């Protein structure tokens, strides 16, 4: 009889028992709080966003808010509804990835949790941690096991990291290289060869880092080294602690490290199994969500009577997604729009039209997720579903 594989599929959420170190009470005690510091940081970020959009956007693009207002007022009737629908569709697609990642979860719960999490992440500085907790809270109260939620959230976050922080920047660099080399833009774009080389190098680097991070041996070595440098969390169950009480202190420390290492590697195996068995279900919805946002930018440009090659639109979109990672403002709001508009002006788009198009894209990527997420947060379930 063949030996079972080490990376056997994780059990469905309704069959998996949560370990002693992962309980609702422990998570509630460690839940992130929207304290005074976060509120002040949110206000400071809001002021920064206002300064970026109110002062830097017209200044860097060479226009005025009067001209931008005129361009916005001249938008066709379909422009704003298209931006709103694009934002809602992108959010719905991302929630599908969450549902696939959290085995056994239902789509309404995944959509509600993801919408609330996205709103907090976009609206609050450092809100990603609070948003992740909200997502887990919704899924938990809808009946998913904590361990299944933990692995699923990590898987969904990894998908977003690969697509948003690796794939899209690489595609943006590659598109810039192609446009620069072929002269598809109306102006000369410098650095085409450099962009092509950077594309290959960045793609190889990202692929190498991803493969390295998922290797069991590498993770095991890193954890062992970390255990020698600092105290690791104690994940032993009460029975194991009681049995270890008779050991010498050094042996107790070794037991604690062994349990921690085994637990992390076990969850790593569950994560890798999920990624291997459901790659399409995890990747395709998020890829489609990014494609919808790209389409939204293209439509925003058409709404202001600007026609650009699709590859050049991808360059602008990729720049915005990359700058959205800058932690100065939540979701890079203000930074992405200002930089994107400046790039559009640099490639020949009229200033007021460039600013208006990026503001229209902001409806899709920022305002719609915040609005939907606020409704989702207001409808958070009060208690765990009886079906749990």
């Amino acid at each position: 009889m063949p030996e079972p594989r080490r990376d056997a599929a994780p059990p469905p959420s309704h069959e998996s028992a949560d370990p002693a170190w992962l309980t609702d009470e422990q998570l509630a005690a460690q839940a992130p709080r929207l304290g005074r510091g976060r509120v002040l940081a949110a206000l400071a970020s809001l002021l920064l966003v206002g300064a970026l959009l109110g002062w830097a956007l017209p200044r860097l693009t060479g226009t005025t808010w009067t001209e931008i207002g005129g361009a916005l007022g001249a938008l066709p009737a379909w422009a704003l509804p298209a931006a709103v629908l694009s934002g809602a569709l992108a959010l719905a697609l991302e929630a599908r990835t969450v549902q696939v990642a959290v085995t056994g979860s239902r789509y309404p719960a995944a959509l509600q949790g993801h919408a609330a999490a996205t709103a907090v992440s976009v609206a609050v500085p450092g809100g990603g941690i609070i948003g992740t907790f909200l997502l887990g809270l919704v899924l938990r109260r809808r009946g998913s096991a904590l361990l299944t939620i933990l692995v699923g959230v990590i898987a969904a976050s990894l998908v977003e990291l690969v697509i948003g922080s690796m794939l899209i920047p690489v595609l943006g660099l590659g598109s810039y290289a192609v446009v620069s080399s072929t002269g598809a833009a109306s102006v000369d774009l410098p650095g085409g060869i450099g962009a092509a080389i950077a594309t290959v190098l960045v793609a190889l680097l990202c692929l190498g880092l991803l493969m390295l991070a998922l290797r069991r041996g590498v993770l095991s070595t890193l954890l062992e080294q970390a255990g020698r440098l600092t105290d690791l969390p104690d994940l032993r169950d009460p029975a194991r602690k009681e049995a270890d009480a008779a050991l010498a202190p050094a042996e107790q420390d070794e037991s604690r490290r062994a349990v921690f290492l085994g637990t992390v590697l076990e969850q790593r195996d569950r994560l890798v199994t999920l990624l291997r068995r459901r790659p399409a279900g995890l990747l395709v919805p998020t890829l489609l969500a990014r494609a919808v946002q790209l389409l939204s930018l293209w439509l925003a440009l058409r709404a202001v009577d600007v026609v650009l090659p699709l590859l050049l639109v991808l360059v602008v979109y990729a720049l915005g997604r990359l700058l959205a990672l800058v932690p100065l403002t939540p979701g890079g709001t203000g930074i992405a729009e200002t930089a994107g508009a400046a790039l559009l002006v640099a490639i020949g788009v009229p200033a007021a039209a460039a600013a208006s198009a990026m503001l229209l894209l902001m409806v899709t990527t920022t305002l719609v997720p915040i609005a939907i997420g606020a409704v989702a947060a207001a409808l958070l379930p009060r208690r765990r579903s009886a079906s749990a």
Side-chain angles (χ1 to χ4, degrees), residues 119-179:
V120 173
S121 300
V122 172
V124 179
I129 297 177
I130 301 177
T132 300
F133 178 80
L134 279 176
L135 173 59
L137 177 66
V138 173
L139 293 171
R140 178 60 172 167
R141 290 182 177 178
R142 296 300 188 189
S144 295
L146 287 173
L147 201 57
T148 302
I149 295 171
L150 176 64
V151 173
V153 168
I154 294 174
S157 299
L158 185 59
V159 168
E160 178 57 36
L161 174 68
V162 170
I163 294 177
S165 303
M166 296 182 181
L167 179 61
I168 290 179
V170 167
L171 290 177
L173 276 173
S175 299
Y176 184 90
V178 172
V179 172

Short mmCIF file of all heavy atoms in Angstrom, two decimals, residues 119-179:
data_model
loop_
_atom_site.label_atom_id
_atom_site.label_comp_id
_atom_site.label_asym_id
_atom_site.label_seq_id
_atom_site.Cartn_x
_atom_site.Cartn_y
_atom_site.Cartn_z
N ALA A 119 -12.81 47.72 1.97
CA ALA A 119 -13.16 49.09 2.35
C ALA A 119 -12.23 49.61 3.44
O ALA A 119 -11.74 50.74 3.37
CB ALA A 119 -14.61 49.16 2.81
N VAL A 120 -11.99 48.78 4.44
CA VAL A 120 -11.10 49.19 5.54
C VAL A 120 -9.67 49.37 5.02
O VAL A 120 -8.97 50.32 5.39
CB VAL A 120 -11.14 48.17 6.68
CG1 VAL A 120 -10.11 48.50 7.75
CG2 VAL A 120 -12.53 48.14 7.30
N SER A 121 -9.22 48.45 4.17
CA SER A 121 -7.86 48.53 3.64
C SER A 121 -7.65 49.79 2.82
O SER A 121 -6.57 50.39 2.85
CB SER A 121 -7.57 47.30 2.77
OG SER A 121 -7.69 46.11 3.52
N VAL A 122 -8.69 50.21 2.09
CA VAL A 122 -8.58 51.37 1.22
C VAL A 122 -8.77 52.67 2.01
O VAL A 122 -8.16 53.69 1.68
CB VAL A 122 -9.61 51.29 0.08
CG1 VAL A 122 -9.65 52.58 -0.72
CG2 VAL A 122 -9.27 50.12 -0.85
N ALA A 123 -9.57 52.63 3.07
CA ALA A 123 -9.94 53.85 3.78
C ALA A 123 -9.07 54.17 4.99
O ALA A 123 -9.01 55.32 5.40
CB ALA A 123 -11.41 53.78 4.22
N VAL A 124 -8.41 53.15 5.56
CA VAL A 124 -7.67 53.34 6.81
C VAL A 124 -6.20 53.01 6.59
O VAL A 124 -5.89 51.94 6.06
CB VAL A 124 -8.25 52.45 7.94
CG1 VAL A 124 -7.46 52.65 9.22
CG2 VAL A 124 -9.72 52.76 8.15
N PRO A 125 -5.28 53.87 7.00
CA PRO A 125 -3.85 53.54 6.89
C PRO A 125 -3.52 52.29 7.70
O PRO A 125 -3.90 52.20 8.87
CB PRO A 125 -3.15 54.79 7.48
CG PRO A 125 -4.15 55.88 7.39
CD PRO A 125 -5.49 55.23 7.54
N GLY A 126 -2.82 51.36 7.09
CA GLY A 126 -2.53 50.11 7.77
C GLY A 126 -3.76 49.28 8.03
O GLY A 126 -3.77 48.42 8.92
N GLY A 127 -4.82 49.53 7.26
CA GLY A 127 -6.08 48.84 7.49
C GLY A 127 -6.11 47.42 6.99
O GLY A 127 -7.13 46.73 7.17
N GLY A 128 -5.03 46.96 6.38
CA GLY A 128 -5.02 45.59 5.87
C GLY A 128 -5.21 44.56 6.97
O GLY A 128 -5.92 43.56 6.78
N ILE A 129 -4.60 44.80 8.13
CA ILE A 129 -4.73 43.85 9.24
C ILE A 129 -6.16 43.84 9.77
O ILE A 129 -6.74 42.78 10.02
CB ILE A 129 -3.73 44.21 10.36
CG1 ILE A 129 -2.30 44.10 9.85
CG2 ILE A 129 -3.94 43.31 11.57
CD1 ILE A 129 -1.26 44.51 10.87
N ILE A 130 -6.74 45.04 9.93
CA ILE A 130 -8.13 45.12 10.40
C ILE A 130 -9.06 44.47 9.37
O ILE A 130 -10.00 43.74 9.72
CB ILE A 130 -8.53 46.58 10.64
CG1 ILE A 130 -7.62 47.23 11.69
CG2 ILE A 130 -9.98 46.67 11.10
CD1 ILE A 130 -7.91 48.69 11.94
N GLY A 131 -8.79 44.72 8.09
CA GLY A 131 -9.62 44.14 7.05
C GLY A 131 -9.55 42.62 7.04
O GLY A 131 -10.57 41.95 6.88
N THR A 132 -8.35 42.08 7.23
CA THR A 132 -8.20 40.63 7.28
C THR A 132 -8.99 40.05 8.45
O THR A 132 -9.63 38.99 8.33
CB THR A 132 -6.72 40.25 7.41
OG1 THR A 132 -6.01 40.75 6.27
CG2 THR A 132 -6.54 38.75 7.47
N PHE A 133 -8.95 40.73 9.59
CA PHE A 133 -9.72 40.26 10.75
C PHE A 133 -11.22 40.29 10.45
O PHE A 133 -11.95 39.36 10.80
CB PHE A 133 -9.40 41.13 11.97
CG PHE A 133 -10.19 40.75 13.19
CD1 PHE A 133 -9.81 39.66 13.97
CD2 PHE A 133 -11.32 41.47 13.54
CE1 PHE A 133 -10.56 39.31 15.08
CE2 PHE A 133 -12.07 41.11 14.65
CZ PHE A 133 -11.68 40.03 15.43
N LEU A 134 -11.70 41.36 9.79
CA LEU A 134 -13.11 41.43 9.44
C LEU A 134 -13.52 40.30 8.50
O LEU A 134 -14.58 39.69 8.66
CB LEU A 134 -13.41 42.77 8.77
CG LEU A 134 -13.61 43.98 9.68
CD1 LEU A 134 -13.80 45.23 8.84
CD2 LEU A 134 -14.79 43.77 10.61
N LEU A 135 -12.66 40.01 7.52
CA LEU A 135 -12.92 38.90 6.61
C LEU A 135 -13.04 37.59 7.38
O LEU A 135 -13.99 36.81 7.18
CB LEU A 135 -11.81 38.81 5.56
CG LEU A 135 -11.84 37.60 4.63
CD1 LEU A 135 -13.14 37.56 3.84
CD2 LEU A 135 -10.65 37.63 3.68
N GLY A 136 -12.08 37.34 8.26
CA GLY A 136 -12.14 36.13 9.06
C GLY A 136 -13.36 36.07 9.96
O GLY A 136 -13.96 35.01 10.15
N LEU A 137 -13.74 37.23 10.50
CA LEU A 137 -14.91 37.29 11.39
C LEU A 137 -16.18 36.89 10.65
O LEU A 137 -16.99 36.10 11.15
CB LEU A 137 -15.05 38.71 11.95
CG LEU A 137 -16.26 38.98 12.85
CD1 LEU A 137 -16.16 38.19 14.13
CD2 LEU A 137 -16.38 40.47 13.14
N VAL A 138 -16.35 37.44 9.44
CA VAL A 138 -17.54 37.11 8.66
C VAL A 138 -17.57 35.62 8.33
O VAL A 138 -18.59 34.94 8.51
CB VAL A 138 -17.60 37.95 7.37
CG1 VAL A 138 -18.75 37.48 6.48
CG2 VAL A 138 -17.77 39.41 7.71
N LEU A 139 -16.47 35.09 7.84
CA LEU A 139 -16.42 33.68 7.46
C LEU A 139 -16.62 32.78 8.66
O LEU A 139 -17.26 31.72 8.56
CB LEU A 139 -15.08 33.38 6.77
CG LEU A 139 -14.88 34.06 5.41
CD1 LEU A 139 -13.45 33.89 4.94
CD2 LEU A 139 -15.85 33.51 4.38
N ARG A 140 -16.05 33.17 9.80
CA ARG A 140 -16.22 32.37 11.02
C ARG A 140 -17.67 32.33 11.45
O ARG A 140 -18.21 31.27 11.79
CB ARG A 140 -15.35 32.96 12.14
CG ARG A 140 -15.48 32.23 13.48
CD ARG A 140 -15.08 30.79 13.35
NE ARG A 140 -15.01 30.14 14.66
CZ ARG A 140 -14.93 28.84 14.83
NH1 ARG A 140 -14.92 28.03 13.76
NH2 ARG A 140 -14.85 28.32 16.04
N ARG A 141 -18.33 33.48 11.43
CA ARG A 141 -19.72 33.53 11.86
C ARG A 141 -20.66 32.90 10.84
O ARG A 141 -21.82 32.64 11.15
CB ARG A 141 -20.12 34.98 12.13
CG ARG A 141 -19.45 35.53 13.38
CD ARG A 141 -19.87 36.95 13.69
NE ARG A 141 -19.27 37.41 14.94
CZ ARG A 141 -19.42 38.63 15.45
NH1 ARG A 141 -20.15 39.52 14.79
NH2 ARG A 141 -18.83 38.96 16.57
N ARG A 142 -20.15 32.66 9.64
CA ARG A 142 -20.93 31.93 8.64
C ARG A 142 -20.63 30.44 8.66
O ARG A 142 -21.14 29.70 7.84
CB ARG A 142 -20.66 32.49 7.25
CG ARG A 142 -21.10 33.93 7.04
CD ARG A 142 -22.57 34.13 7.25
NE ARG A 142 -22.99 35.47 6.86
CZ ARG A 142 -24.19 35.99 7.09
NH1 ARG A 142 -25.09 35.27 7.74
NH2 ARG A 142 -24.50 37.21 6.70
N GLY A 143 -19.78 30.00 9.60
CA GLY A 143 -19.61 28.56 9.80
C GLY A 143 -18.30 27.96 9.40
O GLY A 143 -18.11 26.76 9.58
N SER A 144 -17.34 28.73 8.87
CA SER A 144 -16.05 28.16 8.47
C SER A 144 -15.16 27.96 9.69
O SER A 144 -15.21 28.72 10.66
CB SER A 144 -15.34 29.07 7.47
OG SER A 144 -16.07 29.17 6.26
N ALA A 145 -14.32 26.91 9.64
CA ALA A 145 -13.39 26.64 10.73
C ALA A 145 -12.24 27.64 10.69
O ALA A 145 -11.82 28.10 9.63
CB ALA A 145 -12.85 25.22 10.62
N LEU A 146 -11.71 27.97 11.86
CA LEU A 146 -10.66 28.98 11.94
C LEU A 146 -9.43 28.58 11.16
O LEU A 146 -8.81 29.40 10.49
CB LEU A 146 -10.29 29.22 13.41
CG LEU A 146 -11.32 29.99 14.24
CD1 LEU A 146 -10.91 30.01 15.71
CD2 LEU A 146 -11.46 31.41 13.72
N LEU A 147 -9.05 27.32 11.24
CA LEU A 147 -7.85 26.88 10.53
C LEU A 147 -8.04 26.96 9.02
O LEU A 147 -7.12 27.34 8.28
CB LEU A 147 -7.52 25.43 10.94
CG LEU A 147 -6.07 24.99 10.71
CD1 LEU A 147 -5.10 25.90 11.43
CD2 LEU A 147 -5.89 23.55 11.17
N THR A 148 -9.23 26.63 8.56
CA THR A 148 -9.54 26.74 7.13
C THR A 148 -9.50 28.20 6.69
O THR A 148 -9.00 28.52 5.61
CB THR A 148 -10.92 26.14 6.84
OG1 THR A 148 -10.94 24.78 7.26
CG2 THR A 148 -11.25 26.21 5.36
N ILE A 149 -10.03 29.09 7.53
CA ILE A 149 -9.99 30.52 7.22
C ILE A 149 -8.55 31.01 7.15
O ILE A 149 -8.18 31.76 6.23
CB ILE A 149 -10.77 31.32 8.28
CG1 ILE A 149 -12.25 30.95 8.23
CG2 ILE A 149 -10.59 32.82 8.07
CD1 ILE A 149 -13.07 31.53 9.37
N LEU A 150 -7.73 30.59 8.11
CA LEU A 150 -6.33 31.02 8.15
C LEU A 150 -5.60 30.65 6.87
O LEU A 150 -4.96 31.49 6.23
CB LEU A 150 -5.64 30.40 9.36
CG LEU A 150 -4.15 30.68 9.51
CD1 LEU A 150 -3.90 32.16 9.72
CD2 LEU A 150 -3.56 29.87 10.67
N VAL A 151 -5.71 29.39 6.47
CA VAL A 151 -5.03 28.93 5.26
C VAL A 151 -5.61 29.63 4.03
O VAL A 151 -4.87 30.05 3.13
CB VAL A 151 -5.15 27.40 5.13
CG1 VAL A 151 -4.59 26.92 3.79
CG2 VAL A 151 -4.43 26.69 6.27
N GLY A 152 -6.93 29.80 4.00
CA GLY A 152 -7.56 30.44 2.85
C GLY A 152 -7.17 31.90 2.69
O GLY A 152 -6.92 32.37 1.57
N VAL A 153 -7.12 32.63 3.80
CA VAL A 153 -6.74 34.04 3.73
C VAL A 153 -5.30 34.17 3.24
O VAL A 153 -4.99 35.07 2.44
CB VAL A 153 -6.93 34.71 5.10
CG1 VAL A 153 -6.25 36.08 5.13
CG2 VAL A 153 -8.41 34.85 5.42
N ILE A 154 -4.43 33.29 3.71
CA ILE A 154 -3.04 33.32 3.25
C ILE A 154 -2.97 33.03 1.75
O ILE A 154 -2.25 33.69 1.00
CB ILE A 154 -2.18 32.32 4.03
CG1 ILE A 154 -2.07 32.75 5.50
CG2 ILE A 154 -0.78 32.21 3.42
CD1 ILE A 154 -1.35 31.74 6.38
N ALA A 155 -3.76 32.05 1.30
CA ALA A 155 -3.76 31.70 -0.13
C ALA A 155 -4.27 32.87 -0.97
O ALA A 155 -3.67 33.22 -2.00
CB ALA A 155 -4.63 30.47 -0.35
N ALA A 156 -5.38 33.50 -0.56
CA ALA A 156 -5.92 34.62 -1.31
C ALA A 156 -4.95 35.80 -1.31
O ALA A 156 -4.79 36.49 -2.33
CB ALA A 156 -7.27 35.05 -0.71
N SER A 157 -4.28 36.03 -0.17
CA SER A 157 -3.31 37.12 -0.10
C SER A 157 -2.12 36.84 -1.01
O SER A 157 -1.57 37.76 -1.64
CB SER A 157 -2.83 37.30 1.34
OG SER A 157 -3.91 37.63 2.19
N LEU A 158 -1.71 35.57 -1.08
CA LEU A 158 -0.60 35.20 -1.95
C LEU A 158 -0.96 35.40 -3.42
O LEU A 158 -0.13 35.87 -4.22
CB LEU A 158 -0.21 33.74 -1.69
CG LEU A 158 1.03 33.22 -2.43
CD1 LEU A 158 2.26 34.04 -2.08
CD2 LEU A 158 1.25 31.74 -2.12
N VAL A 159 -2.19 35.08 -3.78
CA VAL A 159 -2.65 35.30 -5.15
C VAL A 159 -2.59 36.78 -5.50
O VAL A 159 -2.11 37.18 -6.57
CB VAL A 159 -4.08 34.75 -5.33
CG1 VAL A 159 -4.67 35.23 -6.66
CG2 VAL A 159 -4.07 33.23 -5.29
N GLU A 160 -3.09 37.63 -4.59
CA GLU A 160 -3.06 39.08 -4.83
C GLU A 160 -1.62 39.59 -4.91
O GLU A 160 -1.31 40.46 -5.73
CB GLU A 160 -3.81 39.80 -3.70
CG GLU A 160 -3.80 41.32 -3.83
CD GLU A 160 -4.38 41.81 -5.15
OE1 GLU A 160 -5.35 41.19 -5.64
OE2 GLU A 160 -3.86 42.80 -5.69
N LEU A 161 -0.74 39.04 -4.08
CA LEU A 161 0.67 39.43 -4.13
C LEU A 161 1.29 39.08 -5.47
O LEU A 161 1.97 39.91 -6.09
CB LEU A 161 1.44 38.74 -3.00
CG LEU A 161 2.95 38.94 -2.99
CD1 LEU A 161 3.29 40.38 -2.66
CD2 LEU A 161 3.61 37.99 -1.98
N VAL A 162 1.04 37.88 -5.94
CA VAL A 162 1.62 37.43 -7.21
C VAL A 162 1.10 38.26 -8.38
O VAL A 162 1.87 38.70 -9.24
CB VAL A 162 1.33 35.93 -7.42
CG1 VAL A 162 1.70 35.51 -8.85
CG2 VAL A 162 2.10 35.09 -6.41
N ILE A 163 -0.22 38.49 -8.40
CA ILE A 163 -0.81 39.21 -9.53
C ILE A 163 -0.58 40.71 -9.43
O ILE A 163 -0.13 41.36 -10.38
CB ILE A 163 -2.31 38.91 -9.63
CG1 ILE A 163 -2.52 37.42 -9.98
CG2 ILE A 163 -2.97 39.79 -10.68
CD1 ILE A 163 -3.96 37.00 -10.01
N GLY A 164 -0.88 41.29 -8.25
CA GLY A 164 -0.81 42.73 -8.12
C GLY A 164 0.59 43.29 -7.98
O GLY A 164 0.89 44.38 -8.50
N SER A 165 1.47 42.55 -7.29
CA SER A 165 2.80 43.07 -7.02
C SER A 165 3.88 42.50 -7.92
O SER A 165 5.00 43.00 -7.94
CB SER A 165 3.19 42.80 -5.56
OG SER A 165 2.24 43.36 -4.68
N MET A 166 3.56 41.43 -8.65
CA MET A 166 4.56 40.81 -9.51
C MET A 166 4.14 40.83 -10.98
O MET A 166 4.81 41.41 -11.82
CB MET A 166 4.82 39.37 -9.06
CG MET A 166 5.42 39.24 -7.67
SD MET A 166 5.75 37.51 -7.22
CE MET A 166 6.41 37.70 -5.57
N LEU A 167 3.00 40.19 -11.27
CA LEU A 167 2.61 40.01 -12.67
C LEU A 167 2.30 41.33 -13.36
O LEU A 167 2.80 41.60 -14.46
CB LEU A 167 1.40 39.08 -12.75
CG LEU A 167 0.84 38.82 -14.16
CD1 LEU A 167 1.90 38.16 -15.03
CD2 LEU A 167 -0.42 37.96 -14.10
N ILE A 168 1.48 42.17 -12.73
CA ILE A 168 1.09 43.42 -13.38
C ILE A 168 2.28 44.35 -13.61
O ILE A 168 2.43 44.93 -14.70
CB ILE A 168 -0.04 44.11 -12.59
CG1 ILE A 168 -1.33 43.30 -12.74
CG2 ILE A 168 -0.26 45.54 -13.07
CD1 ILE A 168 -2.50 43.85 -11.99
N PRO A 169 3.17 44.56 -12.62
CA PRO A 169 4.36 45.37 -12.91
C PRO A 169 5.21 44.81 -14.03
O PRO A 169 5.75 45.57 -14.84
CB PRO A 169 5.11 45.37 -11.57
CG PRO A 169 4.05 45.19 -10.54
CD PRO A 169 3.07 44.26 -11.17
N VAL A 170 5.35 43.48 -14.07
CA VAL A 170 6.13 42.86 -15.15
C VAL A 170 5.46 43.11 -16.51
O VAL A 170 6.12 43.47 -17.49
CB VAL A 170 6.29 41.36 -14.90
CG1 VAL A 170 6.83 40.65 -16.15
CG2 VAL A 170 7.25 41.12 -13.74
N LEU A 171 4.13 42.96 -16.57
CA LEU A 171 3.41 43.23 -17.81
C LEU A 171 3.53 44.71 -18.19
O LEU A 171 3.64 45.05 -19.38
CB LEU A 171 1.95 42.84 -17.66
CG LEU A 171 1.64 41.35 -17.57
CD1 LEU A 171 0.15 41.12 -17.34
CD2 LEU A 171 2.10 40.62 -18.82
N GLY A 172 3.51 45.58 -17.18
CA GLY A 172 3.66 47.00 -17.47
C GLY A 172 5.02 47.33 -18.05
O GLY A 172 5.12 48.08 -19.03
N LEU A 173 6.07 46.75 -17.48
CA LEU A 173 7.42 46.96 -18.01
C LEU A 173 7.54 46.42 -19.43
O LEU A 173 8.10 47.05 -20.32
CB LEU A 173 8.45 46.28 -17.10
CG LEU A 173 8.93 47.06 -15.88
CD1 LEU A 173 9.80 46.17 -15.00
CD2 LEU A 173 9.69 48.31 -16.30
N GLY A 174 6.99 45.22 -19.62
CA GLY A 174 7.05 44.62 -20.95
C GLY A 174 6.29 45.44 -21.98
O GLY A 174 6.75 45.62 -23.11
N SER A 175 5.11 45.95 -21.58
CA SER A 175 4.33 46.78 -22.50
C SER A 175 5.08 48.06 -22.85
O SER A 175 5.07 48.51 -24.00
CB SER A 175 2.97 47.11 -21.87
OG SER A 175 2.24 45.94 -21.62
N TYR A 176 5.72 48.66 -21.86
CA TYR A 176 6.50 49.87 -22.11
C TYR A 176 7.63 49.59 -23.09
O TYR A 176 7.90 50.39 -24.00
CB TYR A 176 7.06 50.40 -20.80
CG TYR A 176 7.81 51.71 -20.94
CD1 TYR A 176 7.14 52.92 -20.82
CD2 TYR A 176 9.18 51.73 -21.21
CE1 TYR A 176 7.81 54.13 -20.95
CE2 TYR A 176 9.86 52.94 -21.35
CZ TYR A 176 9.18 54.13 -21.22
OH TYR A 176 9.85 55.31 -21.36
N ALA A 177 8.29 48.44 -22.91
CA ALA A 177 9.38 48.08 -23.82
C ALA A 177 8.87 47.91 -25.24
O ALA A 177 9.50 48.38 -26.20
CB ALA A 177 10.05 46.79 -23.33
N VAL A 178 7.71 47.25 -25.39
CA VAL A 178 7.16 47.03 -26.73
C VAL A 178 6.74 48.35 -27.37
O VAL A 178 7.06 48.63 -28.53
CB VAL A 178 5.95 46.07 -26.65
CG1 VAL A 178 5.25 45.99 -28.01
CG2 VAL A 178 6.41 44.69 -26.22
N VAL A 179 6.02 49.19 -26.61
CA VAL A 179 5.55 50.47 -27.14
C VAL A 179 6.73 51.36 -27.51
O VAL A 179 6.75 52.03 -28.55
CB VAL A 179 4.63 51.17 -26.13
CG1 VAL A 179 4.31 52.59 -26.59
CG2 VAL A 179 3.35 50.38 -25.94
#
